Amino acid sequence: MEAPSPQPEVATAPHSTSAVTSSPISSPSSFAEMHFKVGDKIPIEISHNREVKSKRLLAKIVGWFEGSSLLVALPQQTIHAGLIKVNEQVLLRAFTGKNAFAFNTTVLKIEHFPFTYLHLSFPKKVEAVEVRSSFRHGVHIPATIGTDGKADVTGDILDIGMTGARVGTAEPLTNENPIRLATQFELHDVPVSLELHAQVRSSKSVPDEHGTMHHEYGMEFQNLQPNDRLILGSLLWYQMQMHPERTA
């Protein structure tokens, strides 16, 4: 058993109601392959019959007993609000290194002393998806690109990954770095927004069928915040499950 860690916060992030299912791009994995450490943050997604749809609870790993129980700490007010109850099934996702993991588990017990934590059933099945540093998934998401001292430019995110994106614009960026990439979209009918800092690493101009030039920029994300990583990871997982043919 690992030693307990301080209580975590609650973070706003996209909510998924789907259980983990096999797909051509996911594969069985093991609990050990997630390489959890005490204090690691992990999002807990509440099952579909709960009224809370726009909030993901962010817990911290307290410890585990192999084959028996996984312990995670939550803020006390979360339990008092009735967001999680005993015998409820929840979905946990983890993004470690170059892999994304997901597994279902059940709340076995809720403890309040000496801090608030949950006993979760030990996962019997873990799904894994490899997310390489060069991985990109094709999308079409409207975005706004801002640069210091210049008017914002509208465009579209053409593909996206955990480390960067390819963005297309009708007009060129006159001042390329640093970039502020802002976008809004929906995940499982939940509105989500991102505002990321990036550096342009490549650019090219591409004519359309009418000969009009369009501009594309390869961007590398800078200083991603934990909640940004959660949102990006959830977006990629959703896209890979729904549109595996767009994986690049």
Side-chain angles (χ1 to χ4, degrees):
M1 177 72 69
E2 304 282 356
S5 61
Q7 293 187 17
E9 66 272 25
V10 178
T12 300
H15 175 73
S16 170
T17 60
S18 60
V20 180
T21 57
S22 298
S23 76
I25 57 171
S26 64
S27 60
S29 186
S30 68
F31 182 85
E33 288 179 76
M34 291 185 283
H35 300 291
F36 280 140
K37 300 186 297 296
V38 170
D40 282 351
K41 293 182 179 181
I42 185 168
I44 299 180
E45 300 182 10
I46 303 169
S47 58
H48 70 278
N49 63 335
R50 308 300 297 165
E51 295 181 357
V52 179
K53 295 183 178 180
S54 61
K55 184 172 290 185
R56 169 183 290 176
L57 306 177
L58 191 59
K60 279 187 179 180
I61 300 292
V62 173
W64 58 89
F65 191 88
E66 192 77 22
S68 179
S69 179
L70 170 64
L71 276 64
V72 298
L74 283 175
Q76 191 173 23
Q77 62 269 26
T78 298
I79 305 302
H80 287 169
L83 300 184
I84 287 186
K85 299 180 179 180
V86 174
N87 296 324
E88 184 166 25
Q89 187 179 74
V90 293
L91 175 66
L92 280 73
R93 298 186 190 276
F95 302 92
T96 58
K98 297 181 180 180
N99 295 286
F101 299 92
F103 59 91
N104 285 307
T105 182
T106 302
V107 180
L108 301 177
K109 192 175 183 180
I110 301 173
E111 292 286 355
H112 297 284
F113 183 83
F115 56 92
T116 302
Y117 64 97
L118 309 179
H119 281 270
L120 303 176
S121 60
F122 199 80
K124 296 180 180 180
K125 179 181 179 181
V126 177
E127 294 285 350
V129 174
E130 183 179 3
V131 183
R132 306 181 309 273
S133 60
S134 60
F135 169 87
R136 290 286 190 275
H137 197 91
V139 295
H140 187 84
I141 302 175
T144 301
I145 303 95
T147 56
D148 289 343
K150 302 293 181 179
D152 291 349
V153 174
T154 58
D156 295 290
I157 300 174
L158 305 177
D159 61 44
I160 194 166
M162 291 297 293
T163 59
R166 180 168 58 96
V167 178
T169 63
E171 52 185 297
L173 302 179
T174 55
N175 182 22
E176 290 187 354
N177 287 313
I179 295 294
R180 297 184 308 280
L181 181 64
T183 183
Q184 295 181 335
F185 50 90
E186 287 193 351
L187 271 178
H188 306 283
D189 300 321
V190 176
V192 177
S193 62
L194 276 172
E195 183 168 339
L196 307 173
H197 298 281
Q199 293 281 327
V200 173
R201 299 304 187 192
S202 65
S203 62
K204 65 179 180 180
S205 297
V206 181
D208 62 17
E209 64 272 18
H210 304 294
T212 302
M213 299 301 292
H214 292 264
H215 311 279
E216 295 184 3
Y217 299 89
M219 299 182 181
E220 181 183 10
F221 299 143
Q222 304 289 312
N223 303 317
L224 282 177
Q225 299 302 304
N227 203 57
D228 297 334
R229 293 183 183 277
L230 289 176
I231 293 175
L232 285 172
S234 294
L235 172 63
L236 287 173
W237 186 284
Y238 175 80
Q239 291 291 337
M240 287 187 292
Q241 293 288 336
M242 299 300 295
H243 306 287
E245 74 282 358
R246 298 181 186 174
T247 302

